[in-house]
Amino acid sequence: MGQDHDVVEVLVIGAGMSSGAFTWSLTKAGFGVMCLEQGNWPTPSEYPVTDDDWELHIYSDYHLDPNVRSQPEDYPINTENSPITPLMYNAVGGSAIHWGAHFPRMRPSDFRVKTLDSVADDWPINYFDLEPYFDLNDKMTGVAGLHGNPAYPPMSPRQMPPLPIGKQGSKLVEGFEKLGWHWWPAESAINSTHYDGRPPCTNGGPCITGCYNGAKSTADLTYWPKALQNGAVLHTNSRVSHITTKPSGKVDGVVYFDTSGEVHHQRANVVVIAANGVGTPRILLNSASASHPNGLANSSGLLGKNLMFHPVAATVGVFEDDLEGYKGALACAITSYEHVETDRSRGFVRGYQLQSNRQLGPLNTALGGPLERAIPWGSKHHSSFTDRFNHIIPIAALGEDLPELQNEVILDKTLTDSDGIPAPKVNYSISKNSETMMTHAVARCTDVLEAAGATQVLVNQQMQGAGWHLLGTARMGIDPATSVVNQHGKTHDVDNLYIIDGSVFVTAGAVNPTSTIQAIALYIAEQMKRNARNL
Amino acid sequence: MTNPQKALKTSFLSRDQQKLLSTVIDVIIPASNGSPSASDADVATHVESSLSTSSATRNLLTSGLQAIEVTSGRAYRKSLADLTYEQRESLLSKIESALPEFFNVLIQQTYSGYYTNSNVLRSKGIHVGAPQPEGFQMEPFQESLLERVRSSGTKYRT
Ligand SMILES: Cc1cc2nc3c(=O)[nH]c(=O)nc-3n(C[C@H](O)[C@H](O)[C@H](O)COP(=O)(O)OP(=O)(O)OC[C@H]3O[C@@H](n4cnc5c(N)ncnc54)[C@H](O)[C@@H]3O)c2cc1C
C-alpha cells in the first residue's frame, strides 16, 4: 500500500447505511479510510417531529421525494418515465434518516431464483454465506423481534423483544388467524429497550421525519461514531462528480466539489462506491474516459440496467373500532410471508411480503396516505375524515421485482445538479409478472382485512411514492459479460474499484433490503481484509 | 402553523379575491358538528401564503379563482357567493374536472392548513402536539398470540 500521506488507502463515496457498516469494519482492522458525503450530519434536534406542525414538513422540507424537498445537498432526478418515484435522503446515515426501519433479512430462496424458479439469475453468494454478517449487523444495529419465525431458518437471538403491535396489530392478527395464514411481529431496527446507549422507542412515530429520540437505528448513530473512533475521516458537504483513472485503467482517486463549489482531486489506492442504486450508476456513468468509454466498470453494458424498486400495492381497511393508529412505529408491527414463495397456480413467479403500517397524522389521513388520493371534499368531507381517522389499517404488499434490462438509470442529457454534474434519469415500467402479482396481492389483502372485520377496503394498486428501495444497477456475478461486480464486490473491469450498496443485488427478494445491503457491505469488507495484500 | 406576520407580507390577492377564496375553501371544508369551516380556521391565509412562493403558483391560484367566477357567471349569472351550497358544490366539481392541477393544489393546501390548525384538531378530539419526545403508552407484544403460527411448520425453501 502507498505511504504517500496525500493518497488515502481506501476512499468511500457516500456515508449512508452501507458505507457506515463497511467503514466501521475496515477501520476496525486498521485500514485508513476517508469518506466523502454530499450531505451533512443530521441534527436530531431539528427533526420536525417535536414541532406541532410536524406534518406540514412531510410535504415540504422533509418531503421523501428529493425533487420536491430540493435541499442544497439533493440532486434532481428525471422521473418522467417512471410510475414509481425514487426516494432518498442525502446525509450521514443516508436514506435511513427517513426510513421505516423494518428490518427483515432476505430469505434463502431469494438468492437462488434461477435454480428454484427458472427466472432471472442466482446470486454468486447465498443466505448462509451472509449469515455471520447478518448476525454481526443485527448486533451493531439492535433488532427488536422474536426468535422462531417459521419463514426463516433458525436465527440468532434478537437483541430486544418485539415492538408493541397495538390495537391495529391485534385486530389484523384476528384476520390472519381466521385465514390460517403466516404472520410474525416485525423485525425492527428500533429499540424496544435501552440498547447500545440509545433509548427505547416511545411509540410516538412517525419515524419518516427522523427520530428525535434516537430509538430508530441509523448509521449516523450506530456505525459512524464507532468508525470515527477507529480513525475514519469523514468529509461532509463533499459531492463526488467522477472517479479518475490512470493509463493502466486502474482508478486513482475522485474529483469532488465542496460547498463553496471548489473542486478537489483526492487520490486513493482503492475507491469504494456506496451512493445507492441511483447515485452509484450515476457517478460511474459520469466517469467515462478514453479507456472506459461507456462509463467506468461498464464493459458488460449492464451498469445502470436492471433497476428494481419493489412495486407496492397499498390497501387500507376501514373499521368501526377506534384502533389508535397514531400510536407506534409507522412501518413495524405485523409482517406476513404467506405469499412470498412461488406458487405457479397464481399466474406469476416469486411473491410478496405483507407489511402492516400505522396511520400518520390527521393531515396525511385527509390527503389519503398510501392511497395517494385525498378524501372527498364538500358535504361528505367531515364524515369521511371521521370514518377513517384512527379507524384504518393500511397494509403494504411489497412485491419481488424481477431484473429487466429496460428498467434503468442513465444520465440525463440536460438536467444537472447545483454543481453542474449530470443528473440521473430513471426509465422504468412495471412488468407483467409484477402487475399480476400486485392484483393477487390486493385480493389477498382485501381477504385478510375483511376477515379482521373491515367494513370497507380502499385500494391503490400501484403506489407512486414507493421508490424506497433502489436495487440492481451494478449486479453481482461470476461472469464479467453478465455482471458488473464479482462475488466480492470488486468491479470486473477495474481491480481497485468496489461497489457495496444495493446496486449489487442480482434479484430483489420481496423484503425491505437494508439488512441485506449492510450484511453484504460487511461481507465485502471482510473479503477486502482477506485480500489486503493484493489491493 | 401559518405565521400571520409572514402571511401578511406574502399576501398577493386583492380583497375580492381573498373573499372568493374564503367562499371556495368553505365549500371544500364546511363547518360541521363543532368543527370550524376552513375560512374560520384561517386556512385562506395559509393557502395564499403557501402559493405566494413563485409566480407560477400565484398565477395558478389567481387564474383558478377567476375561472370559478367566470363559470359561475355563465351557469347562474351570479357570483359563487350568491349560490346555494349545493350549487357551489356542483360548480366546484366542474372546476375539479376542468382544471385538475389547480384543484389538486387547492385541496392539498386547504387540507394542509386545516389539519394542522390546533383549534380544528381540538374540535375533533385529536391529540394536539408533536409525536415526540413524549410518545404514547402501549401494551407489550403477547407471544401467546403466535401459538398456531409457531406450530405450523417451516415456510421457507433453501
Ligand atoms: C422513506 C423511506 C423509507 C424506507 N424504509 C425502509 C425500511 O423500513 N426498511 C428498509 O430495509 N429500507 C427502507 N428504506 C431504504 C433504506 O433507506 C435504504 O435501503 C438504505 O438507506 C440504502 O443504503 P445505501 O448505503 O445503499 O444508500 P443511502 O443510505 O441512500 O446512502 C447513500 C449516500 O451516498 C451519498 N451520495 C450519493 N451520491 C453522492 C455523491 N456524488 N457524492 C457524495 N455523496 C453521495 C448520499 O448523500 C447518501 O448519504 C427506506 C427508504 C426511504 C427513502
Side-chain angles (χ1 to χ4, degrees):
Chain A
M1 295 258 162
Q3 296 301 312
D4 185 340
H5 69 272
D6 282 329
V7 181
V8 294
E9 208 171 358
V10 178
L11 186 136
V12 184
I13 306 172
M17 291 301 269
S18 57
S19 169
F22 176 89
T23 304
W24 166 78
S25 173
L26 272 199
T27 50
K28 190 160 169 272
F31 282 71
V33 182
M34 175 188 280
C35 177
L36 300 176
E37 163 58 49
Q38 67 188 337
N40 289 296
W41 277 93
T43 318
S45 61
E46 286 172 10
Y47 293 154
V49 282
T50 55
D51 300 339
D52 284 354
D53 66 350
W54 60 280
E55 266 202 296
L56 276 181
H57 293 272
I58 299 179
Y59 297 95
S60 52
D61 55 337
Y62 276 77
H63 204 289
L64 303 181
D65 179 352
N67 284 344
V68 180
R69 191 171 66 232
S70 205
Q71 298 294 301
E73 63 276 15
D74 295 322
Y75 57 86
I77 307 171
N78 182 339
T79 61
E80 67 192 23
N81 284 342
S82 179
I84 298 180
T85 305
L87 306 173
M88 62 180 70
Y89 197 76
N90 299 309
V92 180
S95 302
I97 302 304
H98 273 175
W99 78 330
H102 188 231
F103 207 59
R105 301 175 175 188
M106 266 172 69
R107 305 168 63 263
S109 78
D110 295 334
F111 298 87
R112 306 183 66 238
V113 301
K114 177 112 181 176
T115 301
L116 295 172
D117 295 323
S118 311
V119 285
D121 272 310
D122 288 352
W123 291 52
I125 53 176
N126 64 37
Y127 177 91
F128 301 99
D129 295 327
L130 288 178
E131 193 170 17
Y133 306 98
F134 278 129
D135 287 347
L136 174 61
N137 190 45
D138 286 355
K139 193 169 143 242
M140 294 299 293
T141 302
V143 181
L146 198 62
H147 190 72
N149 186 347
Y152 281 89
M155 250 187 234
S156 56
R158 313 290 71 207
Q159 284 68 35
M160 291 164 275
L163 292 171
I165 62 170
K167 288 191 179 172
Q168 283 178 309
S170 306
K171 188 58 123 182
L172 193 55
V173 165
E174 288 174 26
F176 281 112
E177 287 298 306
K178 257 189 211 157
L179 298 174
W181 287 1
H182 171 271
W183 67 273
W184 204 255
E187 298 272 308
S188 317
I190 298 179
N191 286 2
S192 61
T193 59
H194 283 275
Y195 186 79
D196 196 25
R198 292 181 296 112
C201 173
T202 55
N203 307 315
C207 311
I208 56 163
T209 45
C211 179
Y212 169 85
N213 292 330
K216 184 177 88 165
S217 190
T218 48
D220 56 309
L221 302 177
T222 56
Y223 282 110
W224 275 110
K226 297 183 173 88
L228 295 181
Q229 259 172 21
N230 293 341
V233 175
L234 169 55
H235 291 306
T236 54
N237 293 307
S238 303
R239 182 185 269 153
V240 172
S241 115
H242 61 280
I243 298 166
T244 53
T245 38
K246 292 191 281 205
S248 67
K250 279 195 167 194
V251 300
D252 66 354
V254 307
V255 169
Y256 72 97
F257 290 84
D258 65 22
T259 25
S260 62
E262 202 170 312
V263 183
H264 303 261
H265 185 217
Q266 175 61 53
R267 292 193 292 150
N269 289 333
V270 176
V271 173
V272 176
I273 320 179
N276 82 34
V278 170
T280 289
R282 175 197 185 208
I283 295 167
L284 289 169
L285 289 168
N286 198 43
S287 305
S289 62
S291 51
H292 302 278
N294 300 321
L296 196 51
N298 194 21
S299 65
S300 64
L302 291 175
L303 181 63
K305 304 282 180 189
N306 298 307
L307 171 68
M308 297 172 283
F309 276 129
H310 288 139
V312 172
T315 48
V316 174
V318 183
F319 294 77
E320 270 165 15
D321 301 357
D322 183 333
L323 299 172
E324 299 184 335
Y326 56 92
K327 290 187 180 176
L330 181 73
C332 295
I334 304 284
T335 313
S336 168
Y337 294 112
E338 182 67 24
H339 306 99
V340 83
E341 296 284 359
T342 297
D343 174 348
R344 288 193 182 267
S345 71
R346 296 174 185 150
F348 58 88
V349 284
R350 307 301 297 158
Y352 53 88
Q353 164 195 269
L354 302 183
Q355 181 183 352
S356 79
N357 288 307
R358 264 59 186 242
Q359 97 193 345
L360 281 166
L363 173 55
N364 189 263
T365 305
L367 290 174
L371 298 171
E372 300 179 320
R373 297 189 295 278
I375 64 170
W377 55 272
S379 48
K380 296 207 180 69
H381 179 75
H382 288 285
S383 59
S384 306
F385 181 83
T386 312
D387 286 349
R388 291 206 210 164
F389 188 69
N390 286 344
H391 291 263
I392 56 167
I393 302 179
I395 303 181
L398 197 135
E400 175 163 349
D401 216 359
L402 293 172
E404 305 211 341
L405 282 179
Q406 75 274 15
N407 293 336
E408 59 178 5
V409 175
I410 58 173
L411 292 182
D412 194 86
K413 292 205 172 68
T414 51
L415 192 65
T416 65
D417 66 21
S418 56
D419 291 312
I421 306 170
K425 176 175 188 197
V426 172
N427 293 317
Y428 177 90
S429 55
I430 308 274
S431 71
K432 189 83 200 117
N433 192 65
S434 293
E435 203 179 307
T436 317
M437 185 191 291
M438 289 295 103
T439 307
H440 188 270
V442 164
R444 296 296 78 77
C445 289
T446 306
D447 288 345
V448 74
L449 287 165
E450 285 179 352
T455 53
Q456 198 190 353
V457 176
L458 305 160
V459 175
N460 178 10
Q461 175 152 340
Q462 180 48 65
M463 248 187 104
Q464 183 183 2
W468 311 301
H469 307 150
L470 311 171
L471 308 170
T473 47
R475 73 203 310 227
M476 186 183 263
I478 305 289
D479 183 355
T482 56
S483 55
V484 178
V485 299
N486 71 10
Q487 71 275 29
H488 297 154
K490 182 157 88 173
T491 60
H492 289 298
D493 297 356
V494 186
D495 263 354
N496 59 344
L497 178 66
Y498 287 74
I499 304 175
I500 59 166
D501 58 48
S503 309
V504 304
F505 276 41
V506 181
T507 53
V511 302
N512 320 60
T514 311
S515 164
T516 309
I517 291 176
Q518 290 185 295
I520 292 171
L522 291 171
Y523 161 85
I524 294 173
E526 201 55 40
Q527 307 312 315
M528 278 180 77
K529 290 180 216 167
R530 285 185 195 161
N531 295 323
R533 266 168 218 280
N534 306 323
L535 285 182
Chain B
M1 245 132 273
T2 311
N3 175 343
Q5 212 69 41
K6 185 176 136 215
L8 216 60
K9 268 194 252 148
T10 51
S11 139
F12 61 93
L13 296 179
S14 70
R15 279 198 160 247
D16 282 352
Q17 286 171 322
Q18 281 174 343
K19 261 190 163 163
L20 177 60
L21 176 60
S22 290
T23 311
V24 170
I25 62 177
D26 283 353
V27 183
I28 293 172
I29 309 184
S32 163
N33 279 342
S35 287
S37 74
S39 72
D40 283 343
D42 203 22
V43 172
T45 323
H46 172 87
V47 173
E48 189 180 356
S49 85
S50 334
L51 297 182
S52 68
T53 46
S54 75
S55 61
T57 53
R58 287 194 294 270
N59 287 339
L60 191 68
L61 180 59
T62 48
S63 61
L65 288 173
Q66 194 184 357
I68 290 173
E69 275 305 68
V70 170
T71 313
S72 180
R74 281 211 193 112
Y76 300 101
R77 297 183 178 281
K78 282 182 190 168
S79 175
L80 186 78
D82 300 324
L83 306 183
T84 64
Y85 183 81
E86 287 67 30
Q87 288 171 327
R88 291 178 195 179
E89 214 180 8
S90 115
L91 193 123
L92 285 197
S93 291
K94 290 199 186 102
I95 297 289
E96 183 175 27
S97 326
L99 301 174
E101 194 197 349
F102 160 68
F103 209 80
N104 280 341
V105 168
L106 187 63
I107 292 288
Q108 165 103 24
Q109 292 308 334
T110 304
Y111 288 9
S112 296
Y114 193 75
Y115 286 101
T116 50
N117 178 297
S118 49
N119 291 335
V120 169
L121 302 187
R122 232 172 259 124
S123 77
K124 291 182 178 291
I126 294 172
H127 165 84
V128 178
Q132 290 193 22
E134 284 83 15
F136 309 102
Q137 283 295 325
M138 288 176 88
E139 296 291 316
F141 178 71
Q142 280 176 24
E143 267 195 66
S144 58
L145 290 170
L146 283 167
E147 218 166 286
R148 178 193 58 81
V149 179
R150 271 198 198 279
S151 60
S152 62
T154 57
K155 245 191 137 36
Y156 63 89
R157 296 183 295 167
T158 52

